[in-house]
Amino acid sequence: MSNLERRVVILGSTGSIGTQTIDVIERLNQRGYAFAVVGLAAGRNIDRLVDQVEHLRPAAVCVKERTGQEPLRKQFPTLRVLVGESGLEELAQLPGVDLVVNAIVGAVGLPPTLAALSVGRTVALANKESLVIGGELVTQFLNKHGGAIIPIDSEHNALFQCLRAGKGTEVRRVILTASGGPFLRTPKEKLDRVRREEALQHPNWTMGARITIDSATMVNKGFEVIEAHYLFSLPYEKIDVVVHPDSMIHGFVEYHDGSLLAELASPDMRIPIQYALTYPERVDTDLPRLAFQEISQMSFEPLEQDRFPAFATVLHAAGQGGTAPAAINAADEVLVQRFLAGDIPFTGIARGLDAVLSRWLTECGDLNPASHGSLSLDALLAADRWAREAARELSF
Ligand SMILES: NC(=O)c1ccc[n+]([C@@H]2O[C@H](COP(=O)([O-])OP(=O)(O)OC[C@H]3O[C@@H](n4cnc5c(N)ncnc54)[C@H](OP(=O)(O)O)[C@@H]3O)[C@@H](O)[C@H]2O)c1
């Protein structure tokens, strides 16, 4: 056995990916590896964060709001307790850290990714918004400061693994698989009336609320196409999507010589998380493994665009480049919240995204930095604010 030792910071430690990351680290340490969690960041779930601090004894933590600092300071007098976005950035740059796991949900995850990369850190990236919104900036930071990204998202983790088998110039295309979500077979005329609880019921994965709804609308798959574009420097026409309801194959890479490489694993996020934590090594695990009886029943089908109109809207925004993906992400964050709050119907998410993108094209398209060649974090955040407002104003 190798003597893997790593000092890790986990941003978004109280969420679905964050808690699974801690679970994987505990399993690895039980096997004799030495993963030390030196920093944790959470939003509002202070009780869970307190338990994690008790258990993992990090040197520093960050919480979203000032009110969250008090209980931590009281209980752990020597703990450094940071707050807000500047605290996230400080945590992302803690000295002596080998890996920053970014498992925050939403646009708020982009600045800490940039902060970590600006000091040459390796980022195990679950926060897909970092690439959806800031793909160009992230690429610039990677080129300038020499950090690295290891994708946690299962599809990109799969592609990352399959791409180790050949050169970039040998790739004909990559294919992302999509489960199809809870409404793959729902009659289209009923989609307007599906309830929040039904949309939150993903058939194969247990995830945070936002990505679960994004999987039901296929916004998530559009975002994943953008992620793949930046992560692997691939033009959009070389990135395909296929619906694979079994969620056993997570991604394919097709090479020019006709070889199609696939990564298969149980639909359990702890498998790509472990790969990201131990990369470039692979170590043994007691996590669930795929059985051959299951593999013999796999199926594939094309993505039905008129069932999932938001997929095309996200790709349209991706094609515009510049601040358009930031705007579509921000609008989606608001529309998903509005749907979860019972304020708009499920189909309102797709209609709302289309409306915000149409407004962006008429009001902001000419100002888009993509047409001028300069893109700053400020421009992205301004587009984010503009689109949130536009999405809040929509009525259905
Ligand atoms: N879950 C999956 O299986 C999966 C798979 C692939 C990719 N991803 C991506 O991974 C990311 C996380 O997803 P998730 O499902 O784990 O989400 P989640 O369960 O909702 O967890 C989100 C985490 O972010 C924290 N957070 C939210 N706002 C924050 C802020 N302003 N400051 C600091 N922390 C904040 C939350 O803290 P509190 O809970 O304490 O408020 C929580 O720890 C997303 O980008 C998602 O698209 C997830």
Side-chain angles (χ1 to χ4, degrees):
M1 191 177 81
S2 73
N3 54 349
L4 257 183
E5 279 180 36
R6 276 186 194 164
R7 287 162 59 83
V8 182
V9 164
I10 307 171
L11 309 177
S13 64
T14 47
S16 165
I17 294 290
T19 51
Q20 292 183 83
T21 302
I22 293 171
D23 179 77
V24 172
I25 285 177
E26 285 174 340
R27 286 165 189 268
L28 289 167
N29 286 344
Q30 276 161 16
R31 287 173 174 262
Y33 300 104
F35 282 75
V37 176
V38 296
L40 293 171
R44 294 204 173 109
N45 193 342
I46 305 302
D47 289 346
R48 186 171 286 171
L49 183 62
V50 165
D51 288 347
Q52 292 177 343
V53 173
E54 183 83 55
H55 198 57
L56 299 163
R57 296 282 161 183
V61 295
C62 179
V63 292
K64 185 175 176 183
E65 286 148 0
R66 289 200 180 282
T67 47
Q69 288 180 295
E70 207 41 44
L72 287 150
R73 289 214 167 113
K74 239 189 221 154
Q75 214 162 322
F76 309 103
T78 58
L79 180 70
R80 256 179 87 199
V81 187
L82 306 164
V83 66
E85 293 187 16
S86 61
L88 285 177
E89 291 180 44
E90 200 175 328
L91 210 53
Q93 296 184 327
L94 272 191
V97 166
D98 300 298
L99 194 64
V100 176
V101 178
N102 188 347
I104 291 178
V105 64
V108 69
L110 170 62
T113 295
L114 294 175
L117 294 178
S118 72
V119 293
R121 288 275 176 284
T122 299
V123 179
L125 190 65
N127 175 260
K128 60 183 66 199
E129 295 83 356
S130 288
L131 287 164
V132 170
I133 303 165
E136 287 179 37
L137 275 183
V138 167
T139 308
Q140 282 170 24
F141 274 57
L142 282 168
N143 292 337
K144 192 166 168 196
H145 305 287
I149 290 183
I150 304 163
I152 283 183
D153 217 342
S154 58
E155 293 79 0
H156 305 82
N157 189 277
L159 297 181
F160 188 77
Q161 296 192 45
C162 295
L163 286 165
R164 288 175 78 179
K167 297 190 198 116
T169 51
E170 294 167 347
V171 173
R172 183 162 180 267
R173 63 174 177 151
V174 300
I175 305 163
L176 300 162
T177 54
S179 70
F183 304 131
L184 184 61
R185 311 278 179 234
T186 306
K188 277 178 244 167
E189 62 281 4
K190 290 199 174 154
L191 286 176
D192 217 23
R193 295 187 301 279
V194 295
R195 286 176 298 115
R196 175 188 191 277
E197 292 67 32
E198 294 170 280
L200 283 170
Q201 221 34 258
H202 195 282
N204 304 341
W205 301 96
T206 309
M207 311 181 282
R210 198 245 172 148
I211 184 173
T212 305
I213 302 301
D214 283 347
S215 299
T217 56
M218 282 290 178
V219 162
N220 182 51
K221 211 46 62 180
F223 284 172
E224 289 180 359
V225 171
I226 303 178
E227 280 182 273
H229 167 73
Y230 288 111
L231 273 173
F232 309 120
S233 305
L234 286 166
Y236 284 112
E237 56 275 15
K238 286 192 172 188
I239 307 169
D240 286 337
V241 170
V242 67
V243 173
H244 167 47
D246 320 273
S247 296
M248 283 183 237
I249 295 185
H250 305 298
F252 298 92
V253 175
E254 184 178 348
Y255 286 95
H256 286 305
D257 64 359
S259 297
L260 192 61
L261 269 62
E263 190 262 352
L264 292 82
S266 269
D268 186 323
M269 283 307 295
R270 292 172 299 176
I271 292 172
I273 290 171
Q274 171 166 314
Y275 182 84
L277 289 171
T278 64
Y279 176 82
E281 294 190 38
R282 291 183 187 272
V283 306
D284 200 9
T285 183
D286 52 8
L287 292 170
R289 289 171 189 277
L290 267 188
F292 279 107
Q293 310 83 280
E294 297 172 66
I295 298 172
S296 65
Q297 290 161 16
M298 287 193 298
S299 66
F300 303 92
E301 56 196 88
L303 190 148
E304 216 184 313
Q305 301 252 1
D306 63 338
R307 173 180 293 278
F308 301 112
F311 176 74
T313 307
V314 173
L315 292 193
H316 190 178
Q320 297 296 317
T323 62
I328 213 75
N329 173 73
D332 183 65
E333 286 191 30
V334 170
L335 293 164
V336 168
Q337 280 309 322
R338 288 186 65 182
F339 167 67
L340 289 173
D343 184 25
I344 62 170
F346 177 73
T347 48
I349 301 175
R351 281 183 276 141
L353 289 176
D354 187 50
V356 172
L357 183 62
S358 300
R359 255 191 80 183
W360 183 92
L361 288 167
T362 46
E363 293 176 28
C364 313
D366 288 347
L367 304 172
N368 190 20
S371 36
H372 310 293
S374 66
L375 185 61
S376 65
L377 182 57
D378 284 348
L380 293 171
L381 297 178
D384 178 287
R385 284 191 297 275
W386 174 89
R388 275 173 208 274
E389 200 46 47
R392 274 187 212 109
E393 281 170 9
L394 287 170
S395 51
F396 296 89

